[in-house]
Amino acid sequence: MSATNRSMRADARRSHETILAAAGELFARRGSEVQMDEIADRAGLGMGTLYRHFPTKQALLAAIIARRFTAMIDLARAAEQVGDPDGSFETLLFSYLEAADRDAAFRYAILGPEKTDWAQIAEQKAEFAEIAERILRRAVDAGHVRSDLSFEDFVLITRGAMANMNPADDDWRRHVALMLEGIRTPSD
């Protein structure tokens, strides 16, 4: 739970969570077509309440990303505990993508046309990146992946896979398998 959520009154916290749930559902179904008044209606709250919590659509999208990144940090910590550097890297990659596969609102917030206010989630993003960079460095140092693999490449790989996520199939997994073939070092 974020510091903001901890400092809210119980009713404000419920409203905050209700708005996030309603927005997540609507963004997942309709993407950028969703308007703030629809979110307020879906949440069963007034526009004033919505705007007190989220003054802009970008702030709402940032909150959706922040919620997922908080969970992603926990996934990254678990992946870092895997002893094998290659296994640690694959655990990070697949656990991140499997979580994104179940969260269409997160995918929309990351990939959609709305500009995300990353400043609101800088802390979560930085913490996730720090852990991911350590995992990547271990895989590079062990010779499992290309020596020039970076966190920016991880972002490109995951965004590419998320762009290929579809509830009707698992094609994103093939996308990732092909990407892994391209970044692995040749075996002797």
Side-chain angles (χ1 to χ4, degrees):
M1 183 182 294
S2 70
T4 301
N5 270 356
R6 281 192 298 271
S7 65
M8 284 185 201
R9 291 184 337 253
D11 60 331
R13 195 170 34 254
R14 279 190 302 277
S15 293
H16 188 87
E17 292 302 315
T18 300
I19 293 166
L20 284 174
E25 181 182 320
L26 289 170
F27 283 136
R29 275 196 276 142
R30 296 196 18 250
S32 63
E33 302 291 316
V34 175
Q35 300 300 312
M36 294 293 271
D37 61 333
E38 294 176 89
I39 294 167
D41 285 346
R42 179 76 177 153
L45 300 168
M47 290 297 291
T49 301
L50 173 65
Y51 282 115
R52 270 193 303 283
H53 288 274
F54 303 102
T56 65
K57 194 186 287 190
Q58 290 74 23
L60 188 49
L61 291 169
I64 289 170
I65 293 172
R67 173 188 269 182
R68 176 54 60 196
F69 261 107
T70 299
M72 296 296 194
I73 290 166
D74 292 338
L75 294 173
R77 286 185 185 129
E80 191 172 29
Q81 298 306 308
V82 174
D84 171 50
D86 191 40
S88 180
F89 170 67
E90 281 200 25
T91 298
L92 173 67
L93 181 63
F94 281 101
S95 62
Y96 181 95
L97 289 170
E98 286 163 356
D101 190 30
R102 295 185 302 271
D103 191 345
F106 172 72
R107 292 194 314 275
Y108 169 75
I110 293 283
L111 301 173
E114 299 287 335
K115 184 171 171 48
T116 301
D117 183 358
W118 289 102
Q120 292 184 15
I121 56 173
E123 185 179 311
Q124 293 98 330
K125 186 179 176 189
E127 186 174 354
F128 177 81
E130 183 180 304
I131 298 166
E133 285 172 351
R134 287 194 304 262
I135 292 170
L136 289 169
R137 180 59 32 216
R138 280 180 52 210
V140 166
D141 291 347
H144 292 294
V145 294
R146 297 167 51 124
S147 62
D148 62 346
L149 187 69
S150 68
F151 179 70
E152 289 75 21
D153 298 319
F154 178 85
V155 171
L156 289 173
I157 292 166
T158 56
R159 283 182 176 215
M162 285 191 288
N164 285 292
M165 288 180 176
N166 179 336
D169 59 49
D170 254 1
D171 286 351
W172 70 266
R173 291 180 184 281
R174 175 155 172 73
H175 174 88
V176 172
L178 292 169
M179 293 298 294
L180 286 173
E181 288 299 317
I183 64 172
R184 292 215 189 281
T185 55
S187 31
D188 298 333

PDB file of all heavy atoms in Angstrom, residues 153 156-157 174-184:
ATOM      1  N   ASP A 153      16.640  -2.570 -22.972  1.00  0.00           N
ATOM      2  CA  ASP A 153      16.274  -3.703 -23.830  1.00  0.00           C
ATOM      3  C   ASP A 153      15.158  -4.530 -23.190  1.00  0.00           C
ATOM      4  O   ASP A 153      14.262  -5.014 -23.881  1.00  0.00           O
ATOM      5  CB  ASP A 153      17.493  -4.597 -24.102  1.00  0.00           C
ATOM      6  CG  ASP A 153      18.589  -3.854 -24.850  1.00  0.00           C
ATOM      7  OD1 ASP A 153      18.274  -3.077 -25.770  1.00  0.00           O
ATOM      8  OD2 ASP A 153      19.770  -4.042 -24.488  1.00  0.00           O
ATOM      9  N   LEU A 156      12.023  -2.835 -23.995  1.00  0.00           N
ATOM     10  CA  LEU A 156      11.621  -3.081 -25.384  1.00  0.00           C
ATOM     11  C   LEU A 156      11.029  -4.482 -25.565  1.00  0.00           C
ATOM     12  O   LEU A 156      10.016  -4.654 -26.245  1.00  0.00           O
ATOM     13  CB  LEU A 156      12.815  -2.906 -26.322  1.00  0.00           C
ATOM     14  CG  LEU A 156      13.316  -1.488 -26.525  1.00  0.00           C
ATOM     15  CD1 LEU A 156      14.605  -1.490 -27.343  1.00  0.00           C
ATOM     16  CD2 LEU A 156      12.259  -0.638 -27.197  1.00  0.00           C
ATOM     17  N   ILE A 157      11.660  -5.459 -24.958  1.00  0.00           N
ATOM     18  CA  ILE A 157      11.176  -6.846 -25.066  1.00  0.00           C
ATOM     19  C   ILE A 157       9.787  -6.969 -24.445  1.00  0.00           C
ATOM     20  O   ILE A 157       8.879  -7.549 -25.039  1.00  0.00           O
ATOM     21  CB  ILE A 157      12.169  -7.822 -24.400  1.00  0.00           C
ATOM     22  CG1 ILE A 157      13.477  -7.878 -25.194  1.00  0.00           C
ATOM     23  CG2 ILE A 157      11.555  -9.216 -24.265  1.00  0.00           C
ATOM     24  CD1 ILE A 157      14.617  -8.546 -24.458  1.00  0.00           C
ATOM     25  N   ARG A 174       5.533 -16.902 -27.899  1.00  0.00           N
ATOM     26  CA  ARG A 174       6.393 -17.164 -29.062  1.00  0.00           C
ATOM     27  C   ARG A 174       7.258 -15.933 -29.348  1.00  0.00           C
ATOM     28  O   ARG A 174       8.440 -16.060 -29.651  1.00  0.00           O
ATOM     29  CB  ARG A 174       5.571 -17.533 -30.286  1.00  0.00           C
ATOM     30  CG  ARG A 174       6.440 -17.702 -31.539  1.00  0.00           C
ATOM     31  CD  ARG A 174       5.816 -18.617 -32.564  1.00  0.00           C
ATOM     32  NE  ARG A 174       6.542 -18.638 -33.804  1.00  0.00           N
ATOM     33  CZ  ARG A 174       7.719 -19.219 -34.014  1.00  0.00           C
ATOM     34  NH1 ARG A 174       8.318 -19.856 -33.020  1.00  0.00           N
ATOM     35  NH2 ARG A 174       8.293 -19.184 -35.190  1.00  0.00           N
ATOM     36  N   HIS A 175       6.671 -14.775 -29.256  1.00  0.00           N
ATOM     37  CA  HIS A 175       7.418 -13.529 -29.446  1.00  0.00           C
ATOM     38  C   HIS A 175       8.613 -13.486 -28.488  1.00  0.00           C
ATOM     39  O   HIS A 175       9.739 -13.191 -28.898  1.00  0.00           O
ATOM     40  CB  HIS A 175       6.481 -12.331 -29.212  1.00  0.00           C
ATOM     41  CG  HIS A 175       7.163 -11.011 -29.235  1.00  0.00           C
ATOM     42  ND1 HIS A 175       7.355 -10.292 -30.392  1.00  0.00           N
ATOM     43  CD2 HIS A 175       7.709 -10.264 -28.239  1.00  0.00           C
ATOM     44  CE1 HIS A 175       7.984  -9.171 -30.100  1.00  0.00           C
ATOM     45  NE2 HIS A 175       8.200  -9.127 -28.801  1.00  0.00           N
ATOM     46  N   VAL A 176       8.370 -13.792 -27.229  1.00  0.00           N
ATOM     47  CA  VAL A 176       9.442 -13.767 -26.230  1.00  0.00           C
ATOM     48  C   VAL A 176      10.473 -14.850 -26.512  1.00  0.00           C
ATOM     49  O   VAL A 176      11.675 -14.613 -26.399  1.00  0.00           O
ATOM     50  CB  VAL A 176       8.872 -13.887 -24.800  1.00  0.00           C
ATOM     51  CG1 VAL A 176       9.987 -14.050 -23.774  1.00  0.00           C
ATOM     52  CG2 VAL A 176       8.026 -12.666 -24.471  1.00  0.00           C
ATOM     53  N   ALA A 177      10.031 -16.045 -26.894  1.00  0.00           N
ATOM     54  CA  ALA A 177      10.976 -17.131 -27.222  1.00  0.00           C
ATOM     55  C   ALA A 177      11.901 -16.708 -28.365  1.00  0.00           C
ATOM     56  O   ALA A 177      13.117 -16.957 -28.306  1.00  0.00           O
ATOM     57  CB  ALA A 177      10.213 -18.400 -27.582  1.00  0.00           C
ATOM     58  N   LEU A 178      11.334 -16.052 -29.370  1.00  0.00           N
ATOM     59  CA  LEU A 178      12.169 -15.577 -30.480  1.00  0.00           C
ATOM     60  C   LEU A 178      13.137 -14.501 -30.015  1.00  0.00           C
ATOM     61  O   LEU A 178      14.309 -14.487 -30.427  1.00  0.00           O
ATOM     62  CB  LEU A 178      11.283 -15.038 -31.616  1.00  0.00           C
ATOM     63  CG  LEU A 178      10.440 -16.078 -32.347  1.00  0.00           C
ATOM     64  CD1 LEU A 178       9.412 -15.397 -33.245  1.00  0.00           C
ATOM     65  CD2 LEU A 178      11.316 -17.022 -33.140  1.00  0.00           C
ATOM     66  N   MET A 179      12.676 -13.607 -29.149  1.00  0.00           N
ATOM     67  CA  MET A 179      13.553 -12.565 -28.622  1.00  0.00           C
ATOM     68  C   MET A 179      14.682 -13.169 -27.787  1.00  0.00           C
ATOM     69  O   MET A 179      15.825 -12.742 -27.885  1.00  0.00           O
ATOM     70  CB  MET A 179      12.746 -11.572 -27.771  1.00  0.00           C
ATOM     71  CG  MET A 179      11.750 -10.746 -28.554  1.00  0.00           C
ATOM     72  SD  MET A 179      12.505  -9.700 -29.800  1.00  0.00           S
ATOM     73  CE  MET A 179      13.423  -8.583 -28.789  1.00  0.00           C
ATOM     74  N   LEU A 180      14.351 -14.174 -26.986  1.00  0.00           N
ATOM     75  CA  LEU A 180      15.383 -14.825 -26.167  1.00  0.00           C
ATOM     76  C   LEU A 180      16.452 -15.463 -27.037  1.00  0.00           C
ATOM     77  O   LEU A 180      17.644 -15.414 -26.704  1.00  0.00           O
ATOM     78  CB  LEU A 180      14.756 -15.859 -25.224  1.00  0.00           C
ATOM     79  CG  LEU A 180      14.004 -15.288 -24.030  1.00  0.00           C
ATOM     80  CD1 LEU A 180      13.290 -16.404 -23.272  1.00  0.00           C
ATOM     81  CD2 LEU A 180      14.944 -14.526 -23.103  1.00  0.00           C
ATOM     82  N   GLU A 181      16.043 -16.059 -28.146  1.00  0.00           N
ATOM     83  CA  GLU A 181      17.030 -16.636 -29.063  1.00  0.00           C
ATOM     84  C   GLU A 181      17.984 -15.577 -29.583  1.00  0.00           C
ATOM     85  O   GLU A 181      19.166 -15.842 -29.786  1.00  0.00           O
ATOM     86  CB  GLU A 181      16.327 -17.329 -30.234  1.00  0.00           C
ATOM     87  CG  GLU A 181      15.651 -18.621 -29.878  1.00  0.00           C
ATOM     88  CD  GLU A 181      16.623 -19.675 -29.353  1.00  0.00           C
ATOM     89  OE1 GLU A 181      17.727 -19.822 -29.926  1.00  0.00           O
ATOM     90  OE2 GLU A 181      16.284 -20.320 -28.356  1.00  0.00           O
ATOM     91  N   GLY A 182      17.479 -14.373 -29.749  1.00  0.00           N
ATOM     92  CA  GLY A 182      18.309 -13.283 -30.261  1.00  0.00           C
ATOM     93  C   GLY A 182      19.250 -12.681 -29.227  1.00  0.00           C
ATOM     94  O   GLY A 182      20.272 -12.100 -29.599  1.00  0.00           O
ATOM     95  N   ILE A 183      18.950 -12.816 -27.938  1.00  0.00           N
ATOM     96  CA  ILE A 183      19.815 -12.211 -26.928  1.00  0.00           C
ATOM     97  C   ILE A 183      20.715 -13.193 -26.211  1.00  0.00           C
ATOM     98  O   ILE A 183      21.638 -12.795 -25.521  1.00  0.00           O
ATOM     99  CB  ILE A 183      18.992 -11.410 -25.878  1.00  0.00           C
ATOM    100  CG1 ILE A 183      18.068 -12.307 -25.090  1.00  0.00           C
ATOM    101  CG2 ILE A 183      18.249 -10.268 -26.547  1.00  0.00           C
ATOM    102  CD1 ILE A 183      17.391 -11.616 -23.918  1.00  0.00           C
ATOM    103  N   ARG A 184      20.441 -14.477 -26.385  1.00  0.00           N
ATOM    104  CA  ARG A 184      21.287 -15.486 -25.723  1.00  0.00           C
ATOM    105  C   ARG A 184      22.649 -15.562 -26.422  1.00  0.00           C
ATOM    106  O   ARG A 184      22.754 -15.367 -27.629  1.00  0.00           O
ATOM    107  CB  ARG A 184      20.635 -16.852 -25.783  1.00  0.00           C
ATOM    108  CG  ARG A 184      19.410 -16.944 -24.961  1.00  0.00           C
ATOM    109  CD  ARG A 184      19.299 -18.328 -24.352  1.00  0.00           C
ATOM    110  NE  ARG A 184      18.015 -18.524 -23.714  1.00  0.00           N
ATOM    111  CZ  ARG A 184      17.693 -18.057 -22.505  1.00  0.00           C
ATOM    112  NH1 ARG A 184      18.557 -17.391 -21.818  1.00  0.00           N
ATOM    113  NH2 ARG A 184      16.509 -18.290 -22.006  1.00  0.00           N
TER     114      ARG A 184
END
